[in-house]
Amino acid sequence: MARDADDQAIKGAYRKLALQHHPDRNPGNHQAEESFKEAAEAYSVLGDPQKRSAYDRFGHQGVSTAAGNGGFDGAGFPDLGDILNDVFGFGDVFGGSRQRRNRAQRGEDVRYDLEISFEDSLRGLTADIQVPRLEECGRCKGKGAEPDDGLVTCPTCRGRGEVIYQQAFLSVRRTCSQCSGRGQIIRRPCKECKGDGYLRRERKLKVNIPAGVDDGNRLRLSQEGQPGANGGPPGDLYVVLKVKEHAFFERRGNDLHCTIPVNVGQAALGADIEIPTLEEPYRLKIPEGSQNGAQFRLRHLGVPPVNGGGRGDIYVHIEVQVPTKLTREQRKLLEQLRDTLPVENQPAEKSLLGKVRDYFM
Ligand SMILES: [Zn+2]
Ligand SMILES: [Zn+2]
């Protein structure tokens, strides 16, 4: 695809893809989840000019190293092979490689909860987040031991990483429990990381949040999770959005709903009221004789379409307020009004109850 291809068109295409493959729409479908991750990642790259230029120059790798990092409380997905090996010792029984403890492992995925305002969710924003994550200790290169003589050969397995048991006629290999299969143990822990091999660092990161995101949406930042082990790639960082509630707008899909109170006079005679929108306030003309519950639709002033499709609408619901405290003069005027209005106190037909007129603007 041409490097200077129309950004909007590309973004639109990825949005559509992400929507199509969103995990919420494809529960349990791993293919869809992978496709979603890729589309979301491509989208996040396109949304960030810095990332994009890195991506264009270096590809995938450029992006993951140009910006840094991730945080904790991440729920990792353990490798199934590891589970089988550790629980059932399959690798040992079948003479599995004794180096398996040292093979490359992908880092854990990390979840970061980010609360944003309702307005920001509609307009989009670039958020600066600070995410704690583990980084390999530079002093010991992740080994956890003092560089020169911190490591010694494991006395239990004599460096082989495994021990062999004789069970009946079966000879069973087991990973050495003292060194966890590494063949070496730490004699002098690294002074820098106290033997962990990792250091906890706060990393700053920019997250591009597209306009129109909803509560619970997840953004994936590829390879910004915990570092991998033994040269494995880092995990991913998932930013999970929490959108604060708005004072008077309620979101339903891509539509926004609000309730505007009007007094009896305004409802009967009509009124001009100002409705706040994402852009300029909208002057809504309420026609005379508007009933309680009347609904007005302001087309294409709702939520921008992050998931494809068109922009939503704003629905204004009218609530006619009957005055409860009257001055002497107001009471007199209302009494005059009452005496001139026709009295219709017969029970209304059921089918008419709750009927609301829609006005389409
Ligand atoms: Zn260290
Ligand atoms: Zn050992």
Side-chain angles (χ1 to χ4, degrees):
M1 143 180 10
R3 239 186 242 182
D4 52 354
D6 179 20
D7 270 19
Q8 287 309 313
I10 305 170
K11 275 187 175 181
Y14 282 122
R15 272 179 190 165
K16 218 169 145 186
L17 268 179
L19 173 73
Q20 198 181 329
H21 297 296
H22 195 282
D24 292 349
R25 295 192 159 192
N26 303 277
N29 184 339
H30 284 278
Q31 189 56 46
E33 192 175 326
E34 279 312 306
S35 304
F36 172 76
K37 284 180 178 178
E38 275 163 25
E41 185 197 344
Y43 183 78
S44 84
V45 168
L46 287 170
D48 181 337
Q50 243 183 350
K51 264 198 172 186
R52 178 153 186 216
S53 72
Y55 196 96
D56 286 347
R57 271 180 287 137
F58 308 116
H60 195 74
Q61 217 51 38
V63 176
S64 50
T65 48
N69 71 68
F72 288 120
D73 80 318
F77 303 104
D79 186 276
L80 184 62
D82 277 351
I83 294 172
L84 289 176
N85 280 336
D86 289 346
V87 175
F88 302 110
F90 281 174
D92 296 333
V93 171
F94 299 119
S97 92
R98 69 183 198 200
Q99 292 301 311
R100 66 186 173 81
R101 290 278 179 174
N102 293 327
R103 72 181 163 80
Q105 274 183 317
R106 187 177 171 275
E108 287 191 346
D109 288 334
V110 167
R111 174 190 170 125
Y112 184 96
D113 291 301
L114 179 64
E115 191 175 58
I116 60 173
S117 72
F118 193 83
E119 287 84 354
D120 283 342
S121 78
L122 300 183
R123 293 198 170 99
L125 79 153
T126 300
D128 291 306
I129 61 174
Q130 200 160 327
V131 195
R133 93 161 193 174
L134 298 176
E135 277 178 30
E136 194 180 272
C137 171
R139 182 176 171 83
C140 63
K141 306 264 182 326
K143 289 192 172 70
E146 276 293 278
D148 293 332
D149 56 350
L151 282 175
V152 290
T153 302
C154 171
T156 304
C157 63
R158 296 192 202 89
R160 283 177 308 169
E162 62 183 9
V163 286
I164 299 173
Y165 293 99
Q166 199 70 35
Q167 285 187 353
F169 53 89
L170 203 64
S171 147
V172 181
R173 293 156 184 255
R174 285 214 159 274
T175 302
C176 172
S177 56
Q178 190 177 1
C179 64
S180 301
R182 291 185 193 93
Q184 290 178 308
I185 55 168
I186 295 171
R187 187 174 63 179
R188 296 205 301 136
C190 168
K191 286 173 189 157
E192 183 79 23
C193 63
K194 310 272 185 295
D196 290 339
Y198 293 100
L199 296 169
R200 198 183 153 111
R201 289 264 159 80
E202 295 275 327
R203 295 280 296 264
K204 282 183 183 139
L205 194 60
K206 280 195 191 309
V207 188
N208 287 289
I209 299 166
V213 291
D214 204 351
D215 191 54
N217 281 171
R218 301 189 305 172
L219 302 168
R220 173 181 180 244
L221 291 145
S222 177
Q223 306 211 347
E224 305 285 8
Q226 300 293 18
N230 304 312
D236 298 329
L237 172 67
Y238 286 91
V239 176
V240 181
L241 299 175
K242 167 100 188 90
V243 179
K244 283 184 216 163
E245 280 192 16
H246 194 264
F248 50 82
F249 276 125
E250 184 200 330
R251 179 170 176 168
R252 296 180 207 162
N254 277 355
D255 295 327
L256 297 176
H257 292 255
C258 69
T259 299
I260 304 284
V262 297
N263 66 39
V264 178
Q266 287 177 305
L269 302 172
D272 271 338
I273 50 176
E274 223 171 58
I275 310 293
T277 72
L278 274 181
E279 292 87 12
E280 304 283 285
Y282 186 94
R283 292 200 71 82
L284 175 64
K285 206 172 170 55
I286 295 178
E288 58 177 68
S290 288
Q291 301 296 319
N292 185 42
Q295 179 177 289
F296 300 87
R297 177 178 172 189
L298 317 185
R299 279 183 189 271
H300 308 315
L301 291 179
V303 182
V306 72
N307 290 333
R311 185 170 173 182
D313 305 320
I314 291 180
Y315 286 89
V316 178
H317 304 266
I318 295 301
E319 191 178 278
V320 179
Q321 307 261 296
V322 176
T324 48
K325 278 187 183 163
L326 296 169
T327 63
R328 192 172 298 172
E329 193 187 7
Q330 285 168 339
R331 176 172 291 277
K332 222 162 103 187
L333 288 168
L334 275 174
E335 282 168 354
Q336 282 176 21
L337 179 64
R338 177 196 59 197
D339 294 342
T340 56
L341 287 173
V343 176
E344 293 172 8
N345 291 140
Q346 293 299 314
E349 279 177 43
K350 261 188 190 167
S351 63
L352 294 176
L353 283 174
K355 239 188 190 176
V356 167
R357 263 187 82 186
D358 282 353
Y359 295 88
F360 293 100
M361 316 284 299

